[in-house]
């Protein structure tokens, strides 16, 4: 019954009109009136922001804020994989031979998530890391490794929430939501960066234009909190022992190493 009520409410409110209205409002000057309360409610760290709170013209500008240059340290070791975002580590695990990852006891199809058989084959038996961005987090996405962008594509139309209720009751949001996927090759290893849209605001903007990317370089941003999923090939990634579910991580901190 709870699942049915949850899905009914989401379907009732999650359509193009409400998404368009929310996007229009957040990008209007009228939305600036909410900036002080938003910053207070979500405990935004203003000391690390590139601009002062009073300099943001719209609420959207605050969502996509940039940070001071020295506010994040990018680990420079050659084989390390860094977190591409500020986030909570929602889950880590193995991609099964059934082409699935298991999150909160639900099975998510990697095949459906990627929608590409050639890319899918590389990740069977590999590792996944799910990073959840709340509304309080810095929303820009950076490359977890240095390498060559081999492919980028997008899938899905609308989105369910990707918070804990969304993962529990939603219609497989990690594999069905609107998403943009970037596949990066570092030497002989591939990493898929799956950027998953959030409810109402499906905006995932790509900012990196070159095929070559450096670790820590910005590649995209979310217009609202959402989720990034990293997929690694079998036997090519070792997760750091201190990484576990529910811990907070900052962009630039080490997730593990490429083997």
């Amino acid at each position: 019954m709870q699942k049915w009520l949850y899905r009914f409410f989401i379907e009732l409110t999650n359509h193009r009109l409400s998404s368009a209205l929310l996007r229009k409002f957040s990008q209007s000057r009228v939305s600036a009136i909410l900036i002080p309360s938003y910053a207070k409610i979500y405990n935004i760290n203003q000391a690390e922001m590139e601009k002062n709170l009073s300099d943001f013209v719209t609420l959207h500008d605050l969502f996509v804020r940039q940070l001071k240059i020295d506010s994040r340290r990018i680990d420079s070791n050659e084989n390390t994989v860094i977190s591409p975002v500020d986030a909570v580590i929602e889950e880590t695990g193995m991609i099964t031979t059934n082409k699935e990852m298991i999150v909160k006891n639900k099975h998510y199809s990697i095949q459906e998530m990627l929608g590409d058989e050639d890319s899918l084959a590389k990740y069977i038996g590999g590792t996944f890391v799910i990073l959840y961005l709340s509304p309080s987090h810095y929303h820009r996405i950076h490359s977890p490794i240095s390498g060559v962008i081999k492919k980028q594509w997008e899938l899905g139309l609308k989105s369910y929430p990707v918070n804990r209720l969304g993962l529990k009751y939603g219609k497989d949001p990690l594999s069905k939501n609107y998403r943009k996927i970037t596949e990066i090759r570092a030497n002989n290893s591939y990493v898929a960066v799956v950027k998953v849209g959030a409810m109402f605001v499906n905006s995932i903007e790509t900012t990196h234009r070159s095929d070559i990317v450096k670790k820590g370089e910005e590649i995209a941003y979310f217009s609202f909190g959402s989720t990034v999923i990293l997929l690694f090939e079998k036997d090519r990634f070792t997760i750091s022992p201190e990484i576990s579910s529910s811990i907070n991580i900052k962009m630039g901190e080490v997730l593990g190493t490429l083997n």
Side-chain angles (χ1 to χ4, degrees), residues 45-234:
N45 185 348
Q46 298 179 43
E48 65 183 15
M49 299 189 313
E50 187 180 63
K51 300 195 306 187
N52 294 322
L53 199 65
S54 59
D55 293 331
F56 294 107
V57 178
T58 69
L59 194 57
H60 178 265
D61 290 341
L62 179 62
F63 293 160
V64 301
R65 63 190 176 276
Q66 293 182 312
L67 304 182
K68 294 175 181 176
I69 293 175
D70 59 352
S71 62
R72 295 291 179 274
R73 179 184 174 274
I74 310 299
D75 186 88
S76 59
N77 291 310
E78 183 178 356
N79 293 326
T80 57
V81 177
I82 63 165
S83 175
V85 288
D86 287 5
V88 175
I89 297 177
E90 193 68 52
E91 195 85 57
T92 66
M94 304 299 293
I95 300 165
T96 71
T97 53
N98 291 331
K99 307 172 185 176
E100 294 178 329
M101 62 181 189
I102 302 172
V103 183
K104 311 301 180 190
N105 296 318
K106 288 184 66 172
H107 293 246
Y108 286 88
S109 169
I110 298 294
Q111 184 172 17
E112 185 173 22
M113 178 188 294
L114 295 178
D116 183 276
E117 289 294 333
D118 292 337
S119 296
L120 168 69
K122 296 193 287 288
Y123 302 108
I124 297 173
T127 305
F128 70 84
V129 178
I130 301 175
L131 300 148
Y132 170 68
L133 290 75
S134 73
S136 65
H137 282 118
Y138 164 66
H139 291 163
R140 292 188 177 258
I141 307 162
H142 300 252
S143 180
I145 58 173
S146 295
V148 180
I149 296 177
K150 300 301 293 182
K151 188 177 180 181
Q152 296 196 84
W153 67 105
E154 59 184 273
L155 297 164
L157 295 174
K158 67 178 183 178
S159 298
Y160 267 68
V162 287
N163 55 18
R164 291 182 184 275
L165 282 175
L167 294 180
K168 184 176 181 180
Y169 296 131
K171 291 183 177 179
D172 300 338
L174 299 180
S175 55
K176 293 180 183 295
N177 276 15
Y178 171 73
R179 55 209 179 277
K180 282 189 175 181
I181 304 157
T182 303
E183 195 169 52
I184 306 171
R185 187 186 71 195
N187 297 323
N188 292 319
S189 295
Y190 283 82
V191 179
V193 183
V194 184
K195 302 169 285 292
V196 183
M199 183 182 171
F200 298 132
V201 186
N202 270 344
S203 180
I204 304 170
E205 300 295 335
T206 302
T207 58
H208 184 73
R209 306 305 176 193
S210 171
D211 290 338
I212 307 297
V213 67
K214 293 181 181 180
K215 188 193 310 186
E217 189 173 4
E218 184 185 309
I219 58 174
Y221 65 78
F222 289 119
S223 285
F224 206 64
S226 197
T227 293
V228 172
I229 304 168
L230 300 180
L231 305 179
F232 300 93
E233 296 175 280
K234 183 179 180 180

Side-chain angles (χ1 to χ4, degrees), residues 19-36 55-64 201 223:
S19 296
L21 289 173
L22 181 60
R23 184 179 299 110
K24 186 174 182 179
F25 172 75
S26 70
Q27 295 176 353
S28 72
R29 289 179 174 270
V30 177
S31 68
I33 195 172
L34 297 179
I35 289 176
D55 293 331
F56 294 107
V57 178
T58 69
L59 194 57
H60 178 265
D61 290 341
L62 179 62
F63 293 160
V64 301
V201 186
S223 285

